[in-house]
Amino acid sequence: MTAINALTGRLKTMFSGNTQQSNNPAVEAFTFGDPVPVLDSREILDYIECARLQHWYEPPLDFNGLARSFRAAPHHSSPMYFKANVLTSNFIPHRLLSRQAFRRWVLDFLVFGNGYLEQRTNLLGHSMKLEPTLAKYTRRGTDLETYWFVQGWNQEHEFKTGSIFHLMEPDINQEIYGLPEYLAALNSAWLNESATLFRRKYYLNGSHAGFILYMTDTAHSEGDIKNLRKSMKEAKGPGNFRNLFMYAPGGQKDGLKVIPISEVAAKDEIFNIKNVTRDDMLAAHRVPPQLMGIIPENVGGFGAVAPAAQVFARNELEPLQARFEELNEWMGEEVVRFKAYEVLEAGTV
């Protein structure tokens, strides 16, 4: 009994102390923690080694994630389509490599940093055609000489040894697979997509037209308030943006107020995010904005299109052409050839 009485006394003291603290609350300061970077979580940008699975190596990044991110933002996919279109238009078709096959090869290389061509031969070993294989599913063998086409854990196809030409964008961390140049701009592409989706949901939610009707005027009767509530409910749904008339005899100037819910600053921030992320993506792809059909916001604009097109062709397209001409060394003949940019003097690409 003595122990029970002592415990009861302690509990009474604890509860009485909490009650006293609730009457005189103390100042408390705390933080919610620092922002967590994407690289610290299990996301697409997690950089692991090329894991060995059965007969091949897995890429260091999730190629399925790169494929889904390809169309995350218009200024992420459009520059790659633009480069592929210009390169294809200047490509001279070859009996082994058609224009359509070349375009598929170019697009795979720009999106995944890897482009594969399968050399198909006849019974005599003579080359018949070069056919691109989807970089999303092509894997390099553990002997680094063979290649596999893997769509699932139970769907695999081994290509003939020596029949695959692998064009890769070199990576600084490993030499098995290439990686695209735009990886640093992926966060901007995802943020741009998130801002667009938020804006869309924001509009569909109706928050752009939401408000609080604040009434303090005592001149209104309960029946008037019910009629006003009924009229506002009937104004929702199809055919909104209707006008509402209210007659309040004897009411005061501030007896009826409309307080908007939507935050104008938040809407403006969305446009800032869109513009900043757009610039990041264009910088990563190195495409001048005047070639992308972007309308300038300032009076001076982006400058003349002709000089921008000339610099872009010289500094970006010609180096890309040189990369695809590496196939000629592997084949032992000139398969990839490009027309000269004759229209550069006229000021267009």
Side-chain angles (χ1 to χ4, degrees), residues 209 211-215 220 224-236 239-248 256-258:
F211 63 89
I212 297 175
L213 187 62
Y214 181 62
M215 182 181 297
H220 303 290
D224 295 334
I225 297 177
K226 290 182 179 179
N227 292 334
L228 179 60
R229 184 186 297 113
K230 180 180 178 182
S231 300
M232 293 182 65
K233 287 183 178 180
E234 294 176 352
K236 295 182 179 180
N240 48 8
F241 299 104
R242 299 173 182 174
N243 296 322
L244 183 64
F245 171 77
M246 181 176 180
Y247 175 62
L256 184 65
K257 292 183 179 180
V258 175

Side-chain angles (χ1 to χ4, degrees), residues 5 27 33 125 145 159 182 202:
N5 292 335
V27 177
E145 297 293 335
F159 294 103
Y182 60 79
Y202 181 83

Side-chain angles (χ1 to χ4, degrees), residues 119-311:
Q119 182 184 19
R120 299 184 179 179
T121 59
N122 56 19
L123 296 178
L124 298 177
H126 297 156
S127 299
M128 297 179 58
K129 66 184 302 187
L130 292 169
E131 191 68 23
T133 67
L134 295 177
K136 181 179 178 180
Y137 304 109
T138 304
R139 299 292 181 264
R140 197 169 183 181
T142 54
D143 57 0
L144 302 182
E145 297 293 335
T146 58
Y147 288 86
W148 298 74
F149 191 83
V150 183
Q151 286 187 283
W153 65 271
N154 61 344
Q155 298 178 352
E156 59 184 49
H157 166 72
E158 182 180 5
F159 294 103
K160 182 181 177 181
T161 303
S163 64
I164 295 295
F165 172 71
H166 183 187
L167 179 66
M168 69 168 68
E169 184 64 41
D171 179 40
I172 61 174
N173 293 302
Q174 46 82 37
E175 56 185 10
I176 299 178
Y177 291 100
L179 289 179
E181 298 178 348
Y182 60 79
L183 289 182
L186 274 181
N187 284 312
S188 296
W190 296 330
L191 180 58
N192 190 287
E193 180 190 32
S194 299
T196 302
L197 294 176
F198 174 80
R199 182 67 172 167
R200 182 181 176 189
K201 294 176 182 178
Y202 181 83
Y203 184 86
L204 294 177
N205 253 358
S207 297
H208 59 285
F211 63 89
I212 297 175
L213 187 62
Y214 181 62
M215 182 181 297
T216 59
D217 205 331
T218 57
H220 303 290
S221 64
E222 187 67 25
D224 295 334
I225 297 177
K226 290 182 179 179
N227 292 334
L228 179 60
R229 184 186 297 113
K230 180 180 178 182
S231 300
M232 293 182 65
K233 287 183 178 180
E234 294 176 352
K236 295 182 179 180
N240 48 8
F241 299 104
R242 299 173 182 174
N243 296 322
L244 183 64
F245 171 77
M246 181 176 180
Y247 175 62
Q252 300 297 323
K253 177 180 178 181
D254 296 329
L256 184 65
K257 292 183 179 180
V258 175
I259 304 176
I261 296 177
S262 57
E263 180 63 39
V264 179
K267 293 189 293 183
D268 294 340
E269 189 62 28
I270 293 177
F271 292 105
N272 295 333
I273 292 175
K274 296 285 288 184
N275 292 336
V276 171
T277 54
R278 177 200 66 189
D279 295 342
D280 288 344
M281 287 181 282
L282 292 183
H285 293 291
R286 297 182 297 277
V287 179
Q290 53 266 60
L291 299 182
M292 299 297 299
I294 298 176
I295 301 176
E297 298 179 358
N298 55 351
V299 179
F302 298 120
V305 178
Q310 293 176 1
V311 173

Side-chain angles (χ1 to χ4, degrees), residues 11 56-59 63 76 87 93 109 111 114 126 131-132 167 169 188 225 274 282-283 289 295 320 335 349:
L11 290 176
W56 61 83
Y57 287 107
E58 279 294 300
F63 278 4
H76 177 53
L87 289 171
F109 177 74
V111 174
N114 298 272
H126 297 156
E131 191 68 23
L167 179 66
E169 184 64 41
S188 296
I225 297 177
K274 296 285 288 184
L282 292 183
I295 301 176
L320 277 176
V335 177
V349 177

Side-chain angles (χ1 to χ4, degrees), residues 52-79:
R52 181 172 178 172
L53 297 180
Q54 300 185 32
H55 316 291
W56 61 83
Y57 287 107
E58 279 294 300
L61 297 183
D62 182 15
F63 278 4
N64 184 49
L66 290 181
R68 287 186 287 109
S69 301
F70 175 56
R71 295 180 175 89
H75 299 101
H76 177 53
S77 60
S78 184

Side-chain angles (χ1 to χ4, degrees), residues 37-51:
V38 174
L39 289 176
D40 287 347
S41 59
R42 293 293 301 170
E43 298 289 346
I44 180 179
L45 291 182
D46 277 354
Y47 220 102
I48 61 174
E49 63 180 3
C50 297

